[in-house]
Amino acid sequence: MTRLSVNINKVATLRNARGENVPDVVKFAEDCEKFGAEGITVHPRPDGRHITFDDVVKLKEIVTTEFNIEGYPSKEFMELVLKVKPTQVTLVPDPPGALTSNDGWDTVVNQVALKNICSILRENNIRSSIFVNPRGEMVVGAANAGADRVELYTKPYADLYREDREFAIAPYIEAATVAREAGLGLNAGHDLNLENLAYFAEMIPWLDEVSIGHALISDALYYGIEDTIRRYKEELKH
């Protein structure tokens, strides 16, 4: 069954607004696992505007499920992940000042660099996942770079879901099929929510993992985090 990894960046954003430790990011991660999350995702950025490098080190000590660290593979980022050694590192092509991840890697143009990074991660027993747009050639490029998985960027799917969900899902089924044929694991993330998640998982039943943050934390304002995690996991069962 598809695993649910909860991205807790927005919890850190709320904490940072007051400069204190409320809410407690580490305690929140522990509770997410207690309520059924099968992974914790963080995306530390150079400006520390939400999850900080220090948070990542503390979270490593308490996360008992899969720990997924997303980020651009800068020198500082790579030093952090090699120190922490999470379950998985998801490589994203964000420039330092990006508000959010909004595009996948060109795995052909960046083949050599990505291959070197995936090799370093493999040598340290860290699973590598490359964030890509739903295009077969980008998936093949990730496989050629030695990645263990790809994460499909799902915002275009979410944007088109209400208008025409069959049209919206089509490129993702194609890209997911290429990934399976290439022997890659498959993750997905960005703007997946309680409205569009079940259909995505139903149409791509070999999906390994989804990482969801913004929508899930927003839903928790209404339902509470325990009930929200339960709802998302129910959607993944369809």
Side-chain angles (χ1 to χ4, degrees), residues 132-139 152-154 156 171-176:
V132 296
N133 295 326
R135 294 168 52 194
E137 65 269 29
M138 294 300 108
V139 174
L152 299 180
Y153 172 49
T154 49
Y172 291 88
I173 295 174
E174 180 179 350

Side-chain angles (χ1 to χ4, degrees), residues 51-95:
I51 288 290
T52 66
F53 279 26
D54 186 51
D55 288 330
V56 173
V57 174
K58 291 177 181 177
L59 286 164
K60 172 61 178 178
E61 297 299 317
I62 61 92
V63 172
T64 59
T65 58
E66 291 200 351
F67 191 25
N68 173 44
I69 303 178
E70 301 178 342
Y72 180 80
S74 65
K75 178 178 180 291
E76 293 76 15
F77 178 84
M78 292 302 295
E79 288 174 351
L80 174 68
V81 299
L82 293 179
K83 174 184 177 181
V84 171
K85 294 192 176 179
T87 314
Q88 176 175 271
V89 167
T90 300
L91 303 170
V92 297
D94 293 354

Side-chain angles (χ1 to χ4, degrees), residues 29-224:
E30 287 180 317
D31 288 340
C32 285
E33 290 185 316
K34 181 173 68 176
F35 299 146
E38 293 138 326
I40 299 295
T41 291
V42 294
H43 187 150
R45 295 182 183 275
D47 62 7
R49 66 179 181 267
H50 36 60
I51 288 290
T52 66
F53 279 26
D54 186 51
D55 288 330
V56 173
V57 174
K58 291 177 181 177
L59 286 164
K60 172 61 178 178
E61 297 299 317
I62 61 92
V63 172
T64 59
T65 58
E66 291 200 351
F67 191 25
N68 173 44
I69 303 178
E70 301 178 342
Y72 180 80
S74 65
K75 178 178 180 291
E76 293 76 15
F77 178 84
M78 292 302 295
E79 288 174 351
L80 174 68
V81 299
L82 293 179
K83 174 184 177 181
V84 171
K85 294 192 176 179
T87 314
Q88 176 175 271
V89 167
T90 300
L91 303 170
V92 297
D94 293 354
L99 182 63
T100 186
S101 303
N102 57 13
D103 200 9
W105 283 98
D106 185 326
T107 57
V108 177
V109 171
N110 296 284
Q111 180 78 198
V112 173
L114 289 170
K115 184 176 290 187
N116 289 338
I117 294 163
C118 289
S119 177
I120 292 169
L121 293 174
R122 185 177 305 106
E123 289 170 1
N124 286 273
N125 297 313
I126 301 169
R127 182 199 304 143
S128 58
S129 179
I130 297 179
F131 192 66
V132 296
N133 295 326
R135 294 168 52 194
E137 65 269 29
M138 294 300 108
V139 174
V140 171
N144 291 339
D148 299 304
R149 293 186 181 182
V150 289
E151 178 173 330
L152 299 180
Y153 172 49
T154 49
K155 179 173 173 54
Y157 162 76
D159 289 345
L160 292 171
Y161 178 81
R162 287 186 178 182
E163 181 180 341
D164 187 339
R165 68 179 191 173
E166 291 183 4
F167 177 79
I169 196 67
Y172 291 88
I173 295 174
E174 180 179 350
T177 301
V178 172
R180 182 168 61 175
E181 292 172 348
L184 292 171
L186 185 67
N187 299 339
H190 209 96
D191 285 2
L192 294 173
N193 57 40
L194 289 174
E195 179 182 14
N196 59 41
L197 179 59
Y199 183 69
F200 192 93
E202 176 187 355
M203 299 305 293
I204 308 175
W206 60 94
L207 182 64
D208 289 302
E209 173 188 295
V210 292
S211 59
I212 304 177
H214 185 83
L216 190 150
I217 300 302
S218 297
D219 287 331
L221 295 175
Y222 291 91
Y223 305 128

Side-chain angles (χ1 to χ4, degrees), residues 10 23 33 192 224 231 233:
K10 287 298 187 294
E33 290 185 316
L192 294 173
R231 288 170 184 254
K233 291 185 67 175

